[in-house]
């Protein structure tokens, strides 16, 4: 058997194999404003209102439990969007809830939280009932 040499071999390829494809490039001739444009933050675009939504607090016929209902959603909203909105509202309001037909029911009196969240989503929330 042959003895292995104690010298370690370099595996980095040596100086001859290193090349930088960008070494010959420079920023000479480029306008200076192009760098500033990339740093600008996007402007907020005001969204068109998605429609009117009735928000009401109900207690009757529910065994004394208070429920916040959201109804009268625009018909152009698909049920998948309403299901996703129900899940997000339940998380935001930290309560239980469900979607029955096209009506979202949230457990508890969370009208103020729901009104603020709907305004963020560019709906026009309206308090209905007394």
């Amino acid at each position: 058997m042959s003895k292995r040499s104690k010298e370690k071999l370099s595996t980095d390829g040596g100086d001859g194999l290193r090349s930088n494809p960008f070494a010959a490039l420079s920023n000479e001739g480029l306008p200076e404003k192009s760098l500033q444009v990339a740093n600008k933050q996007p402007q907020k675009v005001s969204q068109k209102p998605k429609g009117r939504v009735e928000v009401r607090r109900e207690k009757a016929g529910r065994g004394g439990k208070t429920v916040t209902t959201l109804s009268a959603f625009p018909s152009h909203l698909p049920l998948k969007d309403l299901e996703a909105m129900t899940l997000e509202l339940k998380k935001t309001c930290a309560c239980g809830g469900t979607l029955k037909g096209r009506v979202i029911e949230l457990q508890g009196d969370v009208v103020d939280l729901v009104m603020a969240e709907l305004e963020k989503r560019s709906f026009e929330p309206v308090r209905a009932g007394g």
Side-chain angles (χ1 to χ4, degrees), residues 35-108:
L35 298 175
Q36 294 174 355
V37 172
N39 293 335
K40 285 187 180 179
Q41 294 179 355
Q43 295 177 352
K44 291 185 178 179
V45 179
S46 61
Q47 292 182 352
K48 183 178 168 184
K50 293 181 181 177
R52 183 175 178 264
V53 177
E54 294 179 0
V55 180
R56 87 174 23 115
R57 184 179 146 267
E58 296 178 359
K59 195 172 179 181
R62 300 186 185 273
K65 304 287 184 182
T66 303
V67 175
T68 303
T69 60
L70 290 73
S71 59
F73 283 98
S75 59
H76 63 81
L77 282 177
L79 281 177
K80 287 185 178 182
D81 289 351
L82 290 178
E83 289 171 356
M85 186 185 309
T86 302
L87 183 64
E88 291 170 10
L89 285 172
K90 286 170 34 177
K91 288 180 182 178
T92 302
C93 299
C95 66
T98 187
L99 176 67
K100 291 185 178 176
R102 293 186 64 83
V103 177
I104 296 176
E105 294 182 356
L106 299 172
Q107 296 173 355

Side-chain angles (χ1 to χ4, degrees), residues 102-116:
R102 293 186 64 83
V103 177
I104 296 176
E105 294 182 356
L106 299 172
Q107 296 173 355
D109 185 5
V110 290
V111 175
D112 296 329
L113 291 171
V114 168
M115 296 281 282

